[in-house]
Amino acid sequence: RLSIFAVLTQLLFILLTTSLRLPHLLFNNVLITFALAIAMLAAIDLVEKSSLDMMVIMKPVLSEGEVTKRFNPGGIRIPSWAGTLLGILLLALVIFLTIYFEPDYSLFGLITVLIFQRIDRNEPAYERTLRKDLKRRRWLLCLLFFALLNLLYAAGSIQTYGNSYYAWIEMYSILAIAFFPLYERGKKPSPLAKYFFYAFYPLHFALLLLVFAAMRA
């Protein structure tokens, strides 16, 4: 679903920038980045589970019977080595496509998704009843790793563009960490809310392009 919206959004951007004669404003939208990020997480999960199965198979079997292979994505049974290889190839493909097409936020976006997914998976789920020390730990981990990523991004931008405002503008995204305690994993958005945000992203950019074109006329 996300990939479909990413493609539709990109087609809308191409149509608008071409018809309004604004080709310099065309970029590969962030929904493409999110779709690639999902593929990246799937690839990493594939490698991890396949590697775990290989470790289990390599252990001595102390009792009679064959070691059961747990790697079974979507009901399709494949050897662990093939799953590992497939995951590595998929991850390499995701990185290549991200570098080649340079969607919005590019590798920075992929690493951001990976950081928060790892913290979300390994730390206790945030709930109102969660102990304060665990809430604080979760929040500090998000802040620490995201701030470090932003500093590395800023350092790379300075090397590329010089010490300018644009090199540090992404640092403002760290402020979003302040709102993380409002998130609770168990709550899922309604279908209306979900599709509203899918539609809002391309529509608000389309509106901005139309306003920009009108101001130039």
Side-chain angles (χ1 to χ4, degrees):
R1 180 170 53 212
L2 180 59
S3 299
I4 293 173
F5 273 93
V7 172
L8 292 176
T9 298
Q10 194 62 32
L11 291 175
L12 176 63
F13 284 179
I14 293 172
L15 177 63
L16 283 174
T17 53
T18 302
S19 59
L20 297 174
R21 297 180 180 179
L22 301 171
H24 60 288
L25 295 181
L26 179 63
F27 64 96
N28 292 321
N29 70 85
V30 76
L31 295 182
I32 296 175
T33 309
F34 287 143
L36 288 169
I38 291 175
M40 172 193 67
L41 295 179
I44 293 173
D45 187 62
L46 191 57
V47 171
E48 288 179 339
K49 289 182 178 178
S50 299
S51 301
L52 181 62
D53 281 347
M54 285 193 290
M55 290 174 62
V56 170
I57 292 170
M58 289 172 63
K59 288 183 179 180
V61 181
L62 301 180
S63 59
E64 294 183 0
E66 183 183 356
V67 177
T68 302
K69 298 181 182 180
R70 289 165 295 170
F71 181 65
N72 192 24
I76 302 174
R77 193 178 185 87
I78 62 175
S80 298
W81 66 266
T84 302
L85 179 60
L86 183 61
I88 292 173
L89 291 176
L90 178 57
L91 183 59
L93 178 62
V94 168
I95 294 173
F96 170 77
L97 292 175
T98 303
I99 294 174
Y100 183 79
F101 289 106
E102 293 186 355
D104 206 12
Y105 294 101
S106 193
L107 291 175
F108 175 87
L110 293 189
I111 299 173
T112 298
V113 171
L114 181 61
I115 286 174
F116 292 129
Q117 187 266 348
R118 292 281 125 169
I119 294 174
D120 191 60
R121 192 182 74 169
N122 296 321
E123 292 296 309
Y126 186 91
E127 297 174 351
R128 297 185 187 278
T129 56
L130 188 64
R131 291 197 336 244
K132 288 185 178 180
D133 60 323
L134 295 178
K135 289 181 181 179
R136 192 180 305 113
R137 170 187 165 87
R138 183 185 177 93
W139 186 84
L140 287 174
L141 284 173
C142 291
L143 179 63
L144 174 64
F145 283 102
F146 193 48
L148 179 60
L149 175 63
N150 274 275
L151 286 173
L152 293 174
Y153 178 83
S157 297
I158 289 172
Q159 289 292 325
T160 305
Y161 305 109
N163 192 10
S164 65
Y165 169 76
Y166 296 101
W168 296 98
I169 190 172
E170 198 60 43
M171 296 292 289
Y172 290 110
S173 62
I174 298 175
L175 298 176
I177 304 294
F179 297 96
F180 274 31
L182 300 177
Y183 165 75
E184 291 188 41
R185 185 190 296 175
K187 292 185 176 180
K188 293 184 178 180
S190 65
L192 178 62
K194 186 185 301 182
Y195 285 102
F196 169 78
F197 285 108
Y198 274 133
F200 174 79
Y201 177 75
L203 291 179
H204 93 281
F205 266 113
L207 179 61
L208 290 174
L209 286 173
L210 291 172
V211 170
F212 183 78
M215 292 175 63
R216 290 185 61 191

